[in-house]
Amino acid sequence: LNPGPWRIPYHHRALLDYCRRLNVTLEPFIQLNHNAYLHATRAFEGKPQRFRSIKADFQGGVAELLEKVSQQGRLDEFVSKEDQEILLQALRDWGALDRDYKYNANLRSADVRGFARDPGGGLMGDPLPSDPISLQELLRSRMWRYVQSFAHYDFQMTMFQPIGGMDMIGKAFAREVGDLIRYNAKVTQIQQNGSGVTVSYVDTTSPSAVQQATADWCICTIPLSILSQLPIDVGRPMKNAIDSVPYVASVKIGLQFKRRFWEEDEAIYGGISYTDLPIQQIAYPNTGFNSGGRGILLGAYMHGGANSFEFTAMTPAERVASAVEFGAAIHPQYRNEFEHGVAVAWHRVPFTLGCAGQWTEAARAQHYRNLCQIDGRIALAGEHASQLPWQEGAILSALDAITRLHERVVKT
């Protein structure tokens, strides 16, 4: 389980470059699995539906609707006759429509949405098509919201994860810089003057007198959720920016089961199921496919919204119990197969106190540039000092900060 950062998109080039240079081995992260579930409590009698079926039926219904509009001449002023013929061909292929441009139960639609009985061998090998869901029912179910989420630029394939966990990246950096890292140092104050910066801290393993470290310059990567609580000698514009960014609430819950029932019973290998229940997501492991023994699911991933705050307020045991209860609506096997669980609420993690900086457009317009400016001898870096609240944003903000700091030092 990765209770913190979870995945690396292909376009996060800076992070991928560090993984390559630091020999952090990556493996695929399966974002989209057409055989995973979409679930809505008030649709389809609460029964989960396969992603492929919802996607195919939505496309088929929309394609049939557009074909009807085209035949009525409604597109004449927008599309030429020649292009309308091409459009009809495209709609037929995209929507898996039959020769009459209807979306219904047949082997053509089954090739996309799945079969009631898959093609087989011998005398019992004839496939049977499955029955599509009507466009009206799909619209009312609002499941189309989940279909679109996979098209978002941040979640497009290919995605990666480090073998052994996301902290393999942190361990690789630690290996490179060695004893330059001073561990268990809790910062209590940051001061600066015209000649340098002094950072006061205490050793958390053996609380004693306050110690100090001095340098000509300071690049501070402490999250704003913590930095806003510390005395720091910066000008009013930067201090206002530090104090103006709340942090997103997020909770992840890992669940261990006696067997990988999602593979054995339901043929789900990796990917994510979405639900409107408070747990929001169930994610399946990306490794160990088709193996025996125990398995671990991401049983909940709440990011922002009331559910995140509600689960943050629970004890870890209460969070796990709730995840099992809600998850059983999608996987009834939960009740018999569950063994153990672990829950992490990011607002409860003492060195981050939240998931990521929750910028609004108004806050960025007012404070972002002030946050990123070099204030005297102090510069800030981290995902909060970027337009991208991912690990990639943290790296890019740091590269930007040290580049500008280098230029300033060279000039002076």
Side-chain angles (χ1 to χ4, degrees), residues 73-100:
R74 303 283 182 86
L75 298 179
D76 290 350
E77 59 181 297
F78 304 106
V79 183
S80 68
K81 289 293 184 182
E82 180 181 357
D83 288 344
Q84 284 189 44
E85 291 298 320
I86 300 174
L87 175 62
L88 289 175
Q89 291 179 346
L91 289 175
R92 185 181 179 194
D93 290 341
W94 180 72
L97 307 182
D98 64 16
R99 291 186 177 184
D100 297 322

Side-chain angles (χ1 to χ4, degrees), residues 62 88 131 143 219 285 410-411:
V62 171
L88 289 175
D131 293 322
M143 283 187 173
I219 297 178
V410 168
K411 288 180 181 179

Side-chain angles (χ1 to χ4, degrees), residues 52 56 59 152 220 242 263 315 355 402:
R52 55 178 159 75
Q59 288 184 186
H152 195 282
C220 177
I242 292 172
E263 295 179 356
T315 66
C355 175
I402 62 174

